[in-house]
Amino acid sequence: MKQNTDERRRKIDEMRERFAPLRDYMAQHRKETLELMHRRHAYYTKLITDAGIKTAEEFYERYREHFLMYGIKLKLSDNKKWCSIHLELEDYDYEDYGVEDGKDDTLAEVNPEVPFTDMFNNVEVNIFTGEEL
């Protein structure tokens, strides 16, 4: 019985060692993706701040044509309280950011929870904590 357990542990250790480079690559890829997502979030936030935008509808009306010129799709929700920023990236990857109305007459906000494609998987993550949702 003990020999079986020892053999199993040895095989697991071998597999971990064999796939370590892949795990390292995946971790580095996620780190780089999140860094770029932080930059995009900061850019969208700056657009809102510089223009004093308070609602998702204002954001949509002001930047729809601008974003369209770069192939980025903005979509306003039916209730006009949410505007999605949809990016189609290389290799069929995507990212979806959301601008929501400001609360109590404050500026609109870019939601930190972003759905995206990560290594061929659709995931949603809080870009500041790295936590998958």
Side-chain angles (χ1 to χ4, degrees):
M1 182 77 148
K2 180 169 173 34
Q3 185 177 6
N4 245 351
T5 303
D6 290 343
E7 180 66 21
R8 182 175 166 85
R9 283 187 185 147
R10 187 185 60 74
K11 284 182 181 180
I12 290 171
D13 289 343
E14 285 175 5
M15 293 296 281
R16 282 188 183 142
E17 187 176 320
R18 189 165 135 204
F19 288 105
L22 178 60
R23 280 195 318 274
D24 292 346
Y25 170 77
M26 291 171 66
Q28 182 62 29
H29 182 269
R30 173 65 72 99
K31 179 182 174 194
E32 291 169 1
T33 298
L34 287 175
E35 287 172 1
L36 192 50
M37 292 169 102
H38 287 146
R39 290 174 55 196
R40 288 186 179 118
H41 185 280
Y43 174 72
Y44 303 144
T45 299
K46 184 171 176 14
L47 291 177
I48 290 167
T49 303
D50 289 352
I53 293 173
K54 294 185 177 186
T55 67
E57 186 174 12
E58 273 184 85
F59 184 87
Y60 176 81
E61 293 298 330
R62 181 166 185 123
Y63 293 112
R64 185 175 59 85
E65 288 294 321
H66 174 83
F67 278 65
L68 184 62
M69 294 298 294
Y70 295 100
I72 299 170
K73 183 179 178 182
L74 293 186
K75 184 176 179 187
L76 189 60
S77 66
D78 291 340
N79 67 5
K80 300 182 180 183
K81 300 210 177 283
W82 179 267
C83 177
S84 69
I85 305 169
H86 181 78
L87 288 80
E88 290 282 337
L89 306 168
E90 63 186 348
D91 298 326
Y92 303 102
D93 288 349
Y94 73 92
E95 292 174 11
D96 279 321
Y97 297 83
V99 175
E100 50 195 37
D101 288 354
K103 295 171 181 62
D104 300 324
D105 204 37
T106 60
L107 294 178
E109 296 177 352
V110 181
N111 192 319
E113 297 173 356
V114 180
F116 69 106
T117 307
D118 184 36
M119 303 297 289
F120 307 106
N121 291 307
N122 295 324
V123 294
E124 185 171 355
V125 68
N126 180 313
I127 64 170
F128 296 117
T129 65
E131 177 184 352
E132 285 192 26
L133 309 172

